[in-house]
Short mmCIF file of all heavy atoms in Angstrom, two decimals:
data_model
loop_
_atom_site.label_atom_id
_atom_site.label_comp_id
_atom_site.label_asym_id
_atom_site.label_seq_id
_atom_site.Cartn_x
_atom_site.Cartn_y
_atom_site.Cartn_z
N ARG L 80 11.20 61.51 -74.55
CA ARG L 80 11.53 62.97 -74.44
C ARG L 80 11.16 63.68 -75.80
O ARG L 80 11.22 63.22 -76.95
CB ARG L 80 13.07 62.98 -74.25
CG ARG L 80 13.52 62.16 -73.09
CD ARG L 80 15.04 62.46 -72.90
NE ARG L 80 15.68 61.85 -71.86
CZ ARG L 80 16.81 62.18 -71.20
NH1 ARG L 80 17.48 63.28 -71.52
NH2 ARG L 80 17.30 61.36 -70.23
N LYS L 81 10.67 64.95 -75.58
CA LYS L 81 10.35 65.84 -76.65
C LYS L 81 11.65 66.22 -77.34
O LYS L 81 12.45 66.81 -76.67
CB LYS L 81 9.58 66.97 -76.17
CG LYS L 81 9.19 68.04 -77.19
CD LYS L 81 8.53 69.23 -76.63
CE LYS L 81 8.14 70.21 -77.65
NZ LYS L 81 7.49 71.52 -77.13
N ALA L 82 11.74 66.02 -78.67
CA ALA L 82 13.04 66.38 -79.28
C ALA L 82 12.60 66.80 -80.77
O ALA L 82 11.50 66.94 -81.15
CB ALA L 82 13.88 65.20 -79.41
N TRP L 83 13.63 67.32 -81.44
CA TRP L 83 13.50 67.72 -82.85
C TRP L 83 14.35 67.00 -83.70
O TRP L 83 15.49 66.61 -83.51
CB TRP L 83 13.78 69.23 -82.94
CG TRP L 83 12.92 70.14 -82.26
CD1 TRP L 83 12.95 70.57 -80.96
CD2 TRP L 83 11.65 70.60 -82.75
NE1 TRP L 83 11.94 71.42 -80.64
CE2 TRP L 83 10.99 71.41 -81.79
CE3 TRP L 83 10.98 70.50 -84.03
CZ2 TRP L 83 9.80 72.07 -81.90
CZ3 TRP L 83 9.76 71.09 -84.05
CH2 TRP L 83 9.21 71.83 -83.08
N ALA L 84 13.72 66.49 -84.85
CA ALA L 84 14.50 65.85 -85.98
C ALA L 84 14.84 66.89 -87.04
O ALA L 84 13.81 67.43 -87.70
CB ALA L 84 13.69 64.60 -86.54
N ILE L 85 16.02 67.18 -87.17
CA ILE L 85 16.43 68.24 -88.21
C ILE L 85 17.07 67.36 -89.36
O ILE L 85 18.08 66.76 -89.23
CB ILE L 85 17.40 69.16 -87.62
CG1 ILE L 85 16.89 69.96 -86.35
CG2 ILE L 85 17.94 70.12 -88.53
CD1 ILE L 85 17.79 70.71 -85.62
N PRO L 86 16.49 67.58 -90.71
CA PRO L 86 17.09 66.76 -91.81
C PRO L 86 18.49 67.40 -92.07
O PRO L 86 18.63 68.61 -92.30
CB PRO L 86 16.15 67.17 -92.82
CG PRO L 86 14.95 67.56 -92.17
CD PRO L 86 15.33 68.24 -90.91
N ILE L 87 19.37 66.63 -92.23
CA ILE L 87 20.73 66.83 -92.65
C ILE L 87 21.29 65.84 -93.70
O ILE L 87 20.62 64.90 -93.99
CB ILE L 87 21.75 66.89 -91.42
CG1 ILE L 87 21.79 65.65 -90.67
CG2 ILE L 87 21.37 68.05 -90.54
CD1 ILE L 87 22.87 65.55 -89.60
N MET L 88 22.45 65.92 -94.15
CA MET L 88 22.86 65.08 -95.25
C MET L 88 22.96 63.78 -95.00
O MET L 88 22.73 62.89 -95.80
CB MET L 88 24.26 65.63 -95.81
CG MET L 88 24.09 67.02 -96.54
SD MET L 88 25.52 67.47 -97.48
CE MET L 88 26.76 67.66 -96.20
N GLU L 89 23.24 63.34 -93.69
CA GLU L 89 23.40 62.00 -93.41
C GLU L 89 22.16 61.28 -92.95
O GLU L 89 22.03 60.04 -92.72
CB GLU L 89 24.51 61.72 -92.36
CG GLU L 89 23.95 62.23 -90.84
CD GLU L 89 24.95 61.78 -89.70
OE1 GLU L 89 26.10 61.10 -90.12
OE2 GLU L 89 24.60 61.99 -88.67
N GLY L 90 21.04 62.08 -92.70
CA GLY L 90 19.70 61.55 -92.17
C GLY L 90 19.09 62.60 -91.42
O GLY L 90 18.85 63.68 -91.87
N ASP L 91 18.80 62.39 -90.07
CA ASP L 91 18.30 63.37 -89.15
C ASP L 91 19.19 63.55 -88.01
O ASP L 91 19.61 62.62 -87.43
CB ASP L 91 16.90 62.99 -88.58
CG ASP L 91 15.76 63.18 -89.68
OD1 ASP L 91 15.99 63.94 -90.63
OD2 ASP L 91 14.69 62.55 -89.60
N PHE L 92 19.44 64.81 -87.63
CA PHE L 92 19.94 65.17 -86.32
C PHE L 92 18.88 65.23 -85.28
O PHE L 92 17.94 65.94 -85.52
CB PHE L 92 20.91 66.41 -86.45
CG PHE L 92 21.34 66.94 -85.17
CD1 PHE L 92 22.35 66.20 -84.45
CD2 PHE L 92 20.80 68.11 -84.52
CE1 PHE L 92 22.85 66.63 -83.29
CE2 PHE L 92 21.36 68.54 -83.34
CZ PHE L 92 22.31 67.90 -82.70
N ILE L 93 19.06 64.54 -84.12
CA ILE L 93 17.99 64.64 -83.08
C ILE L 93 18.59 65.47 -81.99
O ILE L 93 19.75 65.23 -81.55
CB ILE L 93 17.77 63.20 -82.63
CG1 ILE L 93 17.29 62.23 -83.70
CG2 ILE L 93 16.67 63.36 -81.49
CD1 ILE L 93 16.00 62.77 -84.40
N VAL L 94 17.96 66.41 -81.50
CA VAL L 94 18.28 67.29 -80.39
C VAL L 94 16.98 67.38 -79.43
O VAL L 94 15.94 67.72 -79.92
CB VAL L 94 18.81 68.69 -80.92
CG1 VAL L 94 17.78 69.49 -81.62
CG2 VAL L 94 19.31 69.48 -79.61
N GLU L 95 17.27 67.25 -78.21
CA GLU L 95 16.15 67.49 -77.26
C GLU L 95 15.67 68.84 -77.22
O GLU L 95 16.51 69.80 -77.40
CB GLU L 95 16.61 66.99 -75.91
CG GLU L 95 15.33 66.83 -74.90
CD GLU L 95 15.87 65.83 -73.73
OE1 GLU L 95 16.77 65.15 -73.75
OE2 GLU L 95 14.99 65.91 -72.82
N ASN L 96 14.42 69.02 -76.91
CA ASN L 96 13.85 70.36 -77.09
C ASN L 96 14.46 71.37 -76.02
O ASN L 96 14.72 72.51 -76.23
CB ASN L 96 12.34 70.35 -76.83
CG ASN L 96 11.76 71.65 -76.96
OD1 ASN L 96 11.56 72.22 -77.96
ND2 ASN L 96 11.35 72.32 -75.79
N ASP L 97 14.63 70.90 -74.69
CA ASP L 97 15.23 71.78 -73.72
C ASP L 97 16.18 70.97 -72.81
O ASP L 97 16.15 69.76 -72.65
CB ASP L 97 14.09 72.39 -72.88
CG ASP L 97 13.10 71.35 -72.25
OD1 ASP L 97 12.33 70.90 -73.03
OD2 ASP L 97 13.21 71.06 -71.15
N PHE L 98 17.03 71.83 -72.18
CA PHE L 98 18.16 71.25 -71.35
C PHE L 98 18.10 71.86 -69.87
O PHE L 98 17.82 72.92 -69.74
CB PHE L 98 19.46 71.55 -72.06
CG PHE L 98 19.79 70.82 -73.33
CD1 PHE L 98 19.09 71.15 -74.50
CD2 PHE L 98 20.62 69.65 -73.21
CE1 PHE L 98 19.35 70.31 -75.64
CE2 PHE L 98 20.83 68.88 -74.40
CZ PHE L 98 20.24 69.27 -75.67
N GLY L 99 18.45 71.05 -68.95
CA GLY L 99 18.46 71.42 -67.58
C GLY L 99 19.60 72.17 -67.30
O GLY L 99 20.77 71.99 -67.78
N VAL L 100 19.60 73.08 -66.29
CA VAL L 100 20.55 73.87 -65.80
C VAL L 100 20.63 73.86 -64.28
O VAL L 100 19.59 74.13 -63.66
CB VAL L 100 20.55 75.38 -66.23
CG1 VAL L 100 21.58 76.29 -65.55
CG2 VAL L 100 20.66 75.50 -67.78
N VAL L 101 21.71 73.57 -63.56
CA VAL L 101 21.72 73.47 -62.18
C VAL L 101 22.92 74.41 -61.65
O VAL L 101 23.79 74.74 -62.32
CB VAL L 101 21.98 72.02 -61.65
CG1 VAL L 101 20.85 71.07 -62.07
CG2 VAL L 101 23.25 71.45 -62.23
N GLU L 102 22.76 74.60 -60.24
CA GLU L 102 23.85 75.36 -59.67
C GLU L 102 25.01 74.26 -59.42
O GLU L 102 24.84 73.25 -58.77
CB GLU L 102 23.51 75.82 -58.26
CG GLU L 102 22.35 76.97 -58.44
CD GLU L 102 22.94 78.22 -58.83
OE1 GLU L 102 24.10 78.45 -58.85
OE2 GLU L 102 22.06 79.09 -59.30
N GLY L 103 26.24 74.63 -59.90
CA GLY L 103 27.39 73.82 -59.66
C GLY L 103 28.53 74.48 -59.10
O GLY L 103 28.38 75.63 -58.56
N ILE L 104 29.63 73.78 -59.16
CA ILE L 104 30.88 74.43 -58.49
C ILE L 104 32.06 74.25 -59.30
O ILE L 104 32.13 73.27 -60.17
CB ILE L 104 30.92 73.70 -57.08
CG1 ILE L 104 31.95 74.44 -56.18
CG2 ILE L 104 31.56 72.24 -57.28
CD1 ILE L 104 31.14 75.55 -55.44
N ALA L 105 32.96 75.24 -59.35
CA ALA L 105 34.12 75.26 -60.29
C ALA L 105 35.31 75.66 -59.35
O ALA L 105 35.27 76.40 -58.41
CB ALA L 105 33.97 76.16 -61.35
N GLY L 106 36.46 75.22 -59.85
CA GLY L 106 37.75 75.59 -59.17
C GLY L 106 38.31 74.68 -58.15
O GLY L 106 39.37 74.99 -57.53
N GLY L 107 37.82 73.51 -57.93
CA GLY L 107 38.35 72.58 -57.02
C GLY L 107 39.76 72.21 -57.56
O GLY L 107 39.92 72.12 -58.86
#
């Protein structure tokens, strides 16, 4: 997966480049 390594005090924070969005349902 394409991700970013962001240098922080404990080492690197890894976050994926993009995130999926889908149609969901709420209020059950």
Side-chain angles (χ1 to χ4, degrees):
R80 302 189 186 198
K81 178 182 176 182
W83 292 95
I85 301 172
I87 57 175
M88 291 193 293
E89 71 167 6
D91 281 344
F92 170 69
I93 306 298
V94 59
E95 193 159 345
N96 184 74
D97 52 281
F98 288 75
V100 175
V101 297
E102 295 288 343
I104 199 84

